[in-house]
Amino acid sequence: MKKIRLSLKHDGTHWVATDGEQLFAGKSLDELDKKIEDFLRSSGRLQEGERVKVYMYYDNYSIPQWIRQYSQHYFDRIVEIIL
């Protein structure tokens, strides 16, 4: 199974995930997941029937330092995509 690691944050309007090369954005997490899946399908990086785990780590640096101690509601997530 292939693995992809992305940094995740919210810019006030969109969820944004990036690996430094590709950037994905969606107004909802479902929309973000769909854009990542669409990219994987169209880029040819995965073949039909392959599985990939997409690890999204919340970018805690996007939260002001003074509030990080109160930010337990931010999260990391793992999405498994099967093409």
Side-chain angles (χ1 to χ4, degrees), residues 3-4 10 14 26 43 46 73:
K3 298 177 185 176
I4 296 174
H10 195 274
H14 294 89
S43 69
L46 294 176
H73 57 282

Side-chain angles (χ1 to χ4, degrees), residues 66-79:
W66 64 270
I67 201 167
R68 288 184 198 162
Q69 63 186 343
Y70 306 109
S71 310
Q72 287 83 14
H73 57 282
Y74 290 97
F75 57 91
D76 298 333
R77 62 194 301 258
I78 300 170
V79 176

Side-chain angles (χ1 to χ4, degrees), residues 11-63:
D11 67 6
T13 306
H14 294 89
W15 288 101
V16 180
T18 184
D19 64 359
E21 293 180 20
Q22 290 296 126
L23 185 129
F24 307 96
K27 289 189 176 185
S28 68
L29 290 172
D30 287 337
E31 183 180 342
L32 177 67
D33 295 347
K34 180 71 173 132
K35 288 188 177 185
I36 293 169
E37 182 178 347
D38 290 347
F39 170 77
L40 292 172
R41 284 184 189 281
S42 66
S43 69
R45 291 188 184 193
L46 294 176
Q47 303 301 315
E48 194 67 32
E50 277 190 286
R51 296 162 57 149
V52 63
K53 277 194 177 182
V54 182
Y55 294 85
M56 294 182 224
Y57 301 100
Y58 196 84
D59 179 7
N60 289 318
Y61 292 104
S62 68
I63 304 168

